[in-house]
């Protein structure tokens, strides 16, 4: 008797689940691939897919930067990396909800004395050279090099790049195009 009741209950739940559009069934007017593709596109732009905190740390280590973190700031994880000399200061902060969901990278180079545009290039080139889904590192590096003096903004793949500042303080921001940062 109990087996019969259990089998009837399982069948009844399955029928109700399917009728309510439970997972694994597609609405009658949309094929499964259309709804799945739309959801993926929405998620793709909130962070730089395929970029991990350790990838950034490794790239920054090649230009002599030490990183700490993550620390929590406004419910986000933030990593801070810095390096410098008495005349030049390098600082990078990157933010994400987890180490595999990096949304925003901010790099600042501050220099004293006669400004030299080549000082920020090494650091900014390392950041522009990061690999993530849809990235074009050679094109990003080329844009950074050609825009270092005047600044500007561009979108390459899923990332927005912004160069700003003056001769003594240069800033590079890289963020996922759908990020709220």
């Amino acid at each position: 008797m109990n087996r019969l009741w259990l089998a009837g209950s399982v069948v009844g739940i399955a029928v109700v689940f399917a009728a309510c559009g439970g997972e694994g069934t597609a609405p009658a007017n949309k094929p499964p691939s259309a709804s799945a593709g739309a959801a993926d596109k929405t998620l793709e732009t909130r962070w730089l897919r395929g970029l991990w905190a350790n990838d950034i740390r490794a790239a920054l280590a090649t230009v002599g930067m030490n990183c700490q973190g993550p620390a929590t700031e406004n419910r986000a994880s933030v990593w801070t990396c810095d390096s410098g000399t008495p005349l030049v200061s390098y600082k990078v902060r990157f933010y994400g909800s987890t180490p595999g969901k990096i949304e925003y990278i901010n790099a600042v180079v501050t220099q004293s004395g006669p400004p030299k545009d080549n000082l920020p290039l090494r650091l900014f080139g390392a950041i522009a050279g990061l690999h993530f889904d849809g990235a074009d590192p050679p094109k990003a590096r080329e844009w950074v090099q050609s825009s270092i003096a005047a600044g500007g903004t561009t979108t390459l793949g899923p990332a927005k790049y912004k160069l700003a500042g003056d001769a003594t303080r240069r800033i590079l921001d890289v963020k996922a195009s759908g990020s709220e940062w």
Side-chain angles (χ1 to χ4, degrees):
M1 180 76 171
N2 284 342
R3 285 185 186 169
L4 199 52
W5 176 84
L6 181 62
S9 296
V10 169
V11 170
I13 290 171
V15 169
V16 170
F17 188 72
C20 292
E23 193 168 318
T25 63
N29 58 352
K30 283 188 180 178
S33 60
S35 60
D40 287 346
K41 290 213 183 274
T42 301
L43 295 175
E44 281 177 14
T45 63
R46 289 191 293 162
W47 62 84
L48 300 168
R49 283 194 180 268
L51 181 63
W52 289 76
N54 282 341
D55 298 333
I56 300 170
R57 291 170 76 120
L60 295 177
T62 66
V63 293
M65 296 190 76
N66 298 314
C67 298
Q68 279 83 48
T72 302
E73 187 177 296
N74 295 328
R75 296 185 306 192
S77 294
V78 61
W79 292 260
T80 302
C81 310
D82 55 17
S83 179
T85 68
L87 297 177
V88 183
S89 166
Y90 302 91
K91 186 169 188 172
V92 177
R93 291 174 54 103
F94 51 100
Y95 303 82
S97 57
T98 67
K101 293 184 178 179
I102 303 299
E103 294 181 48
Y104 176 59
I105 305 167
N106 170 263
V108 179
V109 178
T110 307
Q111 22 183 343
S112 300
K116 296 182 179 178
D117 282 340
N118 62 344
L119 288 176
L121 276 177
R122 191 165 167 225
L123 172 62
F124 292 173
I127 293 170
L130 292 169
H131 294 272
F132 48 88
D133 295 352
D136 188 346
K139 194 171 192 175
R141 280 193 207 105
E142 180 183 311
W143 179 82
V144 165
Q145 187 167 11
S146 66
S147 303
I148 193 75
T153 60
T154 191
T155 300
L156 299 171
K160 293 181 180 180
Y161 295 80
K162 178 181 177 184
L163 267 169
D166 59 25
T168 60
R169 189 168 190 261
R170 298 269 190 237
I171 303 164
L172 173 65
D173 290 323
V174 180
K175 75 174 203 165
S177 60
S179 170
E180 295 181 13
W181 283 97

